[in-house]
Amino acid sequence: MRSTCEICLSLLYLFSSVVFAAPTIFEERSFKVERRNVSNPNARNGVAALGRAYRKYGWEVPEVLSNKVQTIQALAATPQGEEGTVKATPEEGDAAFLSPITIGGQTLMVDFDSGSSDLWVFNTQLKARQTQGHAVYDPKKSITFKPMEGATFKISYGDNSAASGSVGTDTVNVGGAQVEGQAVELASTITDSFTRDVNSDGLVGLAFGSINTVKPQPQKTFFENVMASLDKPVFTANLRHHTVGSYEFGRIDKSQFKGSLTYVPIDSSQGFWQVDSKGFSVGAGIIQTNQEASPAIIDTGTSLMLADDVVVRSYWRQVKGAQMDGQGVTFPCTAQLPDFHVALGPSYMATIPGELMNFQRLSRDTCFGGLQSNMGQPLQIFGDVLFKSQFVVFDGGKKAVGFAPHN
């Protein structure tokens, strides 16, 4: 008979020979991440937000809109207080909010984006002028960083803006949940359009890894890596109007919404949290059917709602003085905006109060609409304007998105 000591030694040898595959996860079973107000008065502008949304999905930006965006960027670069500077407070846009994460022990403020799948950060491989104003990740200061040999990434948009570089792995901590071996993308070349938002130090994509841009092998997102270890394979977006809001992973806080959640099945074949949206109504009007409705992406990384033209025109036709052109829909700030009701899946109708359809005041008399045209593209994008009215659950187990109105 083998002695107790011999058995212990055998077990020790057995466990020491096991190779644990990365990523390794150390986590709380559920965790919350609050968004923070970064308080940059020039950070958000409705016209700029529209151009950014078009670029994100590779859509052509109309020339008149592109020119207007460039003018806004030039004004934002002037010292505060000079005539012509347009200030957009966070209360007007509800968009200048970021969340803290740590990579290799270094804290960065990032966007959580359910409409993309790359974890991309500003880092020391960029030139100093390109990182000015940003917190910068330094892989040399991390004892857990490992280069991913032969791996590269490239993110590009329809306006020819791009970022590309190498890839490594490191320990990523989000609100107490920690993933070892998470792919982190490190740009070595970048176009200037990426550097203008000096508050954001990067992005955490929460869509599906199939659209991750790392080559030769796309990498899993943070959520995909941490999902199996959570109490529930979910993350929730509780992004409210005039307040900071939060993301929560592994738990659904039932105190944050009214009634019961309605779950809508997704089509993830294109890598997005994509649902059908074939009906809508304006104010107290009847429900209208959008016969050739484009599917809708539920996207925390886009500020506006971009919908099919038939939807946009039907809504703004009810607002006296509203104008729709290549620079987006604007309207008199004195106008009373009707509620907007939009179908999500076959049976749920989300109501967005009229006050939330005003994205931002552009001038003393002119405001910018929260509902804008997708310019005939084959997708609708439902961003923060929707989230301000809805508690949203992204369920990776059910492959569904749950909706309920905020309480």
Side-chain angles (χ1 to χ4, degrees):
M1 180 178 295
R2 299 174 68 186
S3 69
T4 301
C5 183
E6 289 175 323
I7 293 173
C8 290
L9 287 172
S10 297
L11 289 172
L12 180 61
Y13 174 79
L14 174 63
F15 282 108
S16 66
S17 64
V18 174
V19 177
F20 292 95
T24 304
I25 301 156
F26 303 88
E27 86 304 324
E28 300 173 4
R29 298 294 291 180
S30 66
F31 54 99
K32 180 182 288 188
V33 186
E34 290 191 350
R35 301 196 303 176
R36 296 182 184 175
N37 184 342
V38 296
S39 298
N40 177 3
N42 295 313
R44 300 312 242 194
N45 178 282
V47 177
L50 182 59
R52 185 162 41 248
Y54 288 165
R55 292 194 301 268
K56 177 177 180 178
Y57 288 94
W59 301 348
E60 182 178 354
V61 180
E63 184 177 359
V64 64
L65 176 61
S66 180
N67 292 339
K68 185 67 173 180
V69 170
Q70 290 176 24
T71 301
I72 290 167
Q73 291 167 345
L75 288 173
T78 63
Q80 291 186 20
E82 288 191 12
E83 185 177 356
T85 300
V86 178
K87 294 185 178 181
T89 66
E91 287 73 21
E92 290 176 313
D94 278 339
F97 293 100
L98 302 168
S99 301
I101 66 169
T102 64
I103 303 177
Q106 303 167 54
T107 300
L108 304 167
M109 297 298 293
V110 301
D111 285 309
F112 281 9
D113 183 7
S114 65
S116 67
S117 300
D118 288 82
L119 197 167
W120 181 94
V121 293
F122 281 81
N123 68 96
T124 52
Q125 294 186 44
L126 292 167
K127 296 177 181 178
R129 67 174 181 81
Q130 295 174 312
T131 60
Q132 190 172 13
H134 295 275
V136 178
Y137 168 66
D138 186 350
K140 293 182 179 179
K141 292 182 178 179
S142 172
I143 61 173
T144 49
F145 174 79
K146 296 179 181 177
M148 189 179 294
E149 298 296 336
T152 60
F153 83 100
K154 182 176 182 180
I155 301 173
S156 59
Y157 293 103
D159 64 344
N160 295 320
S161 62
S164 61
S166 60
V167 184
T169 62
D170 207 339
T171 299
V172 175
N173 187 298
V174 177
Q178 186 164 291
V179 176
E180 288 187 351
Q182 175 65 48
V184 179
E185 298 163 28
L186 311 174
S188 55
T189 61
I190 187 172
T191 53
D192 288 343
S193 56
F194 276 100
T195 67
R196 293 185 180 119
D197 184 359
V198 296
N199 294 289
S200 177
D201 306 320
L203 180 144
V204 176
L206 296 172
F208 295 89
S210 60
I211 57 171
N212 176 267
T213 67
V214 174
K215 293 183 177 181
Q217 180 65 44
Q219 298 296 303
K220 288 185 177 181
T221 67
F222 175 84
F223 178 58
E224 287 174 320
N225 283 328
V226 80
M227 183 171 61
S229 66
L230 300 173
D231 281 341
K232 296 180 183 293
V234 303
F235 71 93
T236 65
N238 185 19
L239 313 179
R240 296 171 178 263
H241 188 41
H242 285 176
T243 190
V244 173
S246 63
Y247 296 94
E248 193 160 8
F249 293 72
R251 176 175 176 261
I252 299 173
D253 187 348
K254 295 182 179 180
S255 70
Q256 298 299 312
F257 57 88
K258 299 175 184 176
S260 300
L261 290 161
T262 298
Y263 283 92
V264 177
I266 65 166
D267 176 359
S268 62
S269 62
Q270 302 300 313
F272 298 113
W273 297 91
Q274 181 175 302
V275 303
D276 287 335
S277 180
K278 297 184 177 181
F280 66 95
S281 65
V282 180
I286 63 171
I287 295 176
Q288 303 178 56
T289 300
N290 182 0
Q291 297 287 357
E292 299 181 358
S294 303
I297 295 173
I298 310 303
D299 183 5
T300 62
T302 294
S303 301
L304 301 163
M305 287 187 73
L306 308 183
D308 293 333
D309 274 354
V310 64
V311 179
V312 176
R313 293 184 185 279
S314 294
Y315 180 83
W316 292 110
R317 193 179 294 129
Q318 303 301 315
V319 179
K320 186 176 181 180
Q323 297 182 5
M324 183 175 175
D325 58 28
Q327 298 180 49
V329 178
T330 58
F331 61 93
C333 293
T334 55
Q336 291 292 113
L337 301 185
D339 294 346
F340 178 55
H341 313 277
V342 61
L344 300 168
S347 60
Y348 184 74
M349 187 73 76
T351 296
I352 302 172
E355 65 172 321
L356 299 184
M357 301 300 284
N358 182 349
F359 181 75
Q360 182 199 35
R361 183 184 290 271
L362 290 177
S363 66
R364 185 181 66 180
D365 300 318
T366 303
C367 285
F368 194 82
L371 177 66
Q372 297 287 335
S373 172
N374 66 359
M375 302 295 288
Q377 297 293 333
L379 289 170
Q380 301 184 89
I381 313 298
F382 293 172
D384 276 0
V385 172
L386 172 69
F387 286 92
K388 291 175 192 177
S389 71
Q390 303 292 310
F391 182 90
V392 181
V393 178
F394 296 85
D395 194 318
K398 293 180 179 178
K399 286 291 183 76
V401 183
F403 299 94
H406 288 308
N407 62 8

